[in-house]
Amino acid sequence: MILAILQARVSSSRLPAKVLKKILGKPMLQLQLERLGKVKNFDKIVVATSTDVTDDPIEKLCRNLNVSCFRGSLEDVLDRYYQSALLFRPDHIVRVTGDCPLTDPLLIDQVIHFYLKENFEYVMLEKSFPHGLDLEVFTFSTLQHTWKNAVLPSHREHVTLYIKHSNNFSIGSSVTSVLVATTIL
């Protein structure tokens, strides 16, 4: 099973409630969920938000859109992320964030294909792609190991920081093959 976990919260310090700001008359989060709904390689999408009352509107939006929503710790984002994945016990997880409304479904499918074909434990989209297309794919066991071993506050706040800096995982970057395929299509 491939689970997409979209993390979102209202308490952004730079632009509060940005995930609920309207674009073309719809909350940004709704637009992103609609785009993610076009990804062929997901089995399930869940929005991971916090139990803070400020995130009640996110849960309400998910309910209205018939999208699963998990609520967990505001401060320990890694725990929130892990607990949301634990509900579904996926083999693989695709990480996307709620403030990237221009997510490209075709690109996500290609990164997932690259990840599965190359058999990495963690793959990220190459940094040469514009911000807003960010995505990461990793195994559930990678997330579980990270959740058990990450102790630094920065590792608990940023879901994949421990993965990228621990040297415990096989890490790949979806580079030319994805870029060429995207350009041709």
Side-chain angles (χ1 to χ4, degrees), residues 150-164:
V151 293
L152 295 176
S154 60
H155 291 164
R156 304 304 296 187
E157 182 182 351
H158 303 283
V159 175
T160 58
L161 195 58
Y162 175 87
I163 297 169
K164 294 176 199 174

Side-chain angles (χ1 to χ4, degrees), residues 15 20 33 39 61-62 65 67-68 84 86 91 94 135 173-174:
L15 181 59
L20 298 175
L33 287 166
V39 174
L61 178 63
C62 289
L65 297 173
V67 173
S68 296
S84 66
L86 198 57
D91 300 303
V94 178
L135 70 127
S173 178
S174 55

Side-chain angles (χ1 to χ4, degrees), residues 1 25 30 37 42 52 65-67 70 74 76 81 88 97 106-107 110 113 117 124 126 133 147 154 180-181:
M1 171 189 193
Q30 180 177 346
F42 292 159
D52 192 271
L65 297 173
N66 199 28
V67 173
F70 175 84
L74 177 63
D76 189 345
Y81 213 84
F88 301 97
T97 56
L106 179 59
L107 185 61
Q110 290 172 349
H113 177 74
K117 182 179 140 214
M124 64 183 153
E126 184 187 60
L133 296 176
W147 177 77
S154 60
V180 170

Side-chain angles (χ1 to χ4, degrees), residues 108-158:
I108 293 172
D109 276 328
Q110 290 172 349
V111 172
I112 292 169
H113 177 74
F114 172 83
Y115 158 83
L116 293 171
K117 182 179 140 214
E118 299 299 327
N119 202 29
F120 287 108
E121 292 171 292
Y122 169 87
V123 165
M124 64 183 153
L125 186 62
E126 184 187 60
K127 297 290 184 194
S128 66
F129 282 86
H131 288 293
L133 296 176
D134 308 330
L135 70 127
E136 299 163 294
V137 187
F138 44 90
T139 64
F140 177 76
S141 60
T142 296
L143 178 62
Q144 191 168 45
H145 176 92
T146 300
W147 177 77
K148 288 178 182 175
N149 294 287
V151 293
L152 295 176
S154 60
H155 291 164
R156 304 304 296 187
E157 182 182 351
H158 303 283

